Amino acid sequence: MMRAELTTGQRVARARRRLGWDQAQLAAAVERSVSWVSKVETGRLPLDRMSVLGQLAEVLGVEVIELTGQPYRHDSPDLDSGHAAIPGLRLALQQATMPGGAALIATADVPSLLDLTARVEAAERLRQDAKFTALGDVLPQILRDLVVLCDVTEGENVSRAEALMLRASHMARVSSNLLGHHDLGWSAVQRELVAAERAESPVLRAAARWDLCGVWLHEGELGAARDMARKALDDLEPHMGSADQSLRALWGAMHLRAAVAWSRLWDRSEAESHLAEARQAAAGVPEDGNAFQTQFNAVNAEIHSVEVSLELGHPRDVLSRAELINIGHIASGERQSHFWVCTAVGQMMNGKSGLSAAAILKADAIAPQHVRNRPIARNLVDDLRSTDRHEHTAEIRRLAASMKLG
């Protein structure tokens, strides 16, 4: 595991030195100045965009997590955000993805479809509220029970059981990627893809591909995420005449994935084009739409527009777009927290450290487990910690201490 005391900038410097490069060579590779590289490595310039982190990782020949230092561990079970569940989650996903895995699970009774449906729905509420410790307490057993159920289910219930497996695997994917266990996120999405094929469902196939794009965005595999989004949209298009609301929602959600991928590739035209398609799709779904945990609805489309502006490096657009969003209209603590993190970074990029601090504190109050495991949020808090020109200095320093920063 990476040494937790290293900052992101120090990790960049270490990877650079491993290649035998000086700062000028790295600067040339990323088309930046030597001064910019020096400021990044010494912590005077925070790495506040995943697009920049991804570019650095690519040219340095490392995975993104080598620069971020994930996974992070915390001092209390609550803030540790579900890390204690990782061994059980890993075993459950191994059993779910290996041939004959159900035979390795000792169980007295086959769980019922009705019972597992209720348990998956309850777990999804924990996931949307970013309560990953509580989710980790229940998710491994849900997955094991679904392995058994999917193994014995026949007939028309196959698609229902596999849909539950997809939903549970999605939660495993989100938890794993958030905590920095990206290999485990890949195992989870593999099981989603199998579920879609077993159910022979274009809807489940689209949901699994949407999640696969999420895995690749977390890993910094932007070209793969972009290409999968494009392929998924091409395959969905013939079904868009259907009355199925889930298909429309997944169509829109896939455009949002594409918009984020293109924004991290710094192509504004393509990113904005996909945002426009998503907005159009959102007009035809309920305000509280959440098909397959995508939270696809009009508010989330606008949250993505804020993120896109951030990744493109347009801080004024971040704030102008954020001002138009009534964030209370989305029933997801994770999405609300994400909005405030993006807003906080935008405020800092605009030189408004006090407003940035207020926004990151809002994000942490809503979903602390989400904030304290996000590299971008941690880099921002570390930057704010060393800035005394705002009224939230004491609160930020307490937050930084809980994150083991500085």
Side-chain angles (χ1 to χ4, degrees):
M1 185 180 295
M2 302 298 176
R3 292 164 52 201
E5 67 269 18
L6 294 182
T7 66
T8 304
Q10 288 169 332
R11 292 172 183 279
V12 171
R14 182 178 62 181
R16 171 181 60 76
R17 289 192 296 268
R18 187 186 300 130
L19 289 177
W21 287 3
D22 59 23
Q23 290 183 338
Q25 287 171 294
L26 177 55
V30 295
E31 299 181 344
R32 302 274 185 164
S33 67
V34 174
S35 174
W36 182 88
V37 172
S38 177
K39 288 177 181 178
V40 164
E41 292 187 352
T42 57
R44 289 176 290 154
L45 185 66
L47 288 169
D48 49 18
R49 290 183 284 159
M50 288 303 297
S51 56
V52 179
L53 270 171
Q55 183 195 32
L56 282 167
E58 182 177 5
V59 301
L60 290 168
V62 300
E63 293 182 286
V64 171
I65 57 172
E66 180 166 338
L67 301 185
T68 62
Q70 289 177 296
Y72 313 119
R73 297 304 301 263
H74 301 278
D75 290 331
S76 68
D78 182 54
L79 289 179
D80 210 30
S81 314
H83 275 291
I86 289 296
L89 197 59
R90 187 179 300 279
L91 177 59
L93 284 170
Q94 288 169 346
Q95 292 166 333
T97 53
M98 71 172 62
L104 303 176
I105 299 175
T107 182
D109 301 298
V110 175
S112 73
L113 189 61
L114 184 64
D115 172 66
L116 274 167
T117 299
R119 289 162 61 196
V120 167
E121 290 173 352
E124 286 174 339
R125 290 191 289 272
L126 295 174
R127 173 260 186 273
Q128 292 293 349
D129 289 337
K131 295 179 178 177
F132 291 101
T133 297
L135 178 60
D137 289 340
V138 299
L139 187 54
Q141 188 59 52
I142 288 174
L143 283 166
R144 284 192 290 270
D145 287 347
L146 279 168
V147 171
V148 174
L149 180 65
C150 290
D151 186 60
V152 301
T153 299
E154 298 178 342
E156 62 183 19
N157 283 332
V158 168
S159 61
R160 295 173 63 192
E162 292 294 345
L164 286 178
M165 176 60 84
L166 183 144
R167 290 161 63 182
S169 296
H170 164 77
M171 290 184 278
R173 196 282 295 172
V174 170
S175 300
S176 301
N177 281 148
L178 175 74
L179 297 176
H181 299 278
H182 297 322
D183 61 323
L184 195 55
W186 176 249
S187 295
V189 85
Q190 279 183 303
R191 186 59 184 86
E192 292 183 56
L193 292 163
V194 170
E197 293 307 312
R198 288 181 177 174
E200 299 180 340
S201 165
V203 175
L204 294 189
R205 185 177 298 112
R209 287 173 166 183
W210 173 81
D211 225 21
L212 176 56
C213 287
V215 170
W216 278 331
L217 287 172
H218 272 281
E219 292 181 350
E221 296 290 346
L222 302 180
R226 174 202 61 203
D227 294 344
M228 174 48 67
R230 180 186 292 143
K231 168 65 173 170
L233 287 166
D234 286 345
D235 289 348
L236 272 174
E237 191 164 13
H239 302 283
M240 291 308 294
S242 165
D244 190 334
Q245 287 267 342
S246 294
L247 279 170
R248 185 177 184 86
L250 288 165
W251 168 266
M254 199 68 72
H255 275 293
L256 292 180
R257 289 286 201 229
V260 172
W262 279 111
S263 71
R264 293 185 185 179
L265 291 164
W266 296 325
D267 190 319
R268 184 175 188 174
S269 177
E270 285 286 350
E272 293 291 345
S273 175
H274 284 288
L275 273 178
E277 291 281 358
R279 288 183 173 119
Q280 184 176 351
V285 303
E287 186 179 78
D288 60 350
N290 187 25
F292 289 95
Q293 302 178 71
T294 60
Q295 279 291 339
F296 182 73
N297 50 54
V299 175
N300 199 18
E302 297 310 319
I303 293 172
H304 277 75
S305 77
V306 173
E307 180 179 0
V308 163
S309 293
L310 176 65
E311 295 292 0
L312 288 168
H314 299 148
R316 291 184 181 179
D317 290 346
V318 172
L319 301 188
S320 63
R321 285 177 162 177
E323 288 173 355
L324 300 177
I325 299 175
N326 189 335
I327 196 61
H329 283 188
I330 192 165
S332 167
E334 183 273 332
R335 287 283 86 197
Q336 290 184 17
S337 178
H338 182 74
F339 164 80
W340 285 114
V341 169
C342 291
T343 301
V345 175
Q347 295 285 12
M348 196 64 173
M349 291 170 69
N350 278 285
K352 300 177 180 179
S353 58
L355 293 175
S356 175
I360 198 67
L361 289 168
K362 283 183 182 178
D364 188 67
I366 293 168
Q369 295 187 347
H370 177 70
V371 171
R372 300 182 192 208
N373 284 286
R374 290 193 64 195
I376 296 305
R378 293 171 66 87
N379 287 343
L380 175 64
V381 170
D382 196 29
D383 194 33
L384 286 166
R385 176 183 61 85
S386 59
T387 303
D388 291 324
R389 298 187 301 276
H390 56 80
E391 62 272 30
H392 301 288
T393 297
E395 296 165 275
I396 289 294
R397 287 182 175 172
R398 285 194 292 271
L399 178 57
S402 72
M403 290 179 168
K404 298 183 180 179
L405 301 172

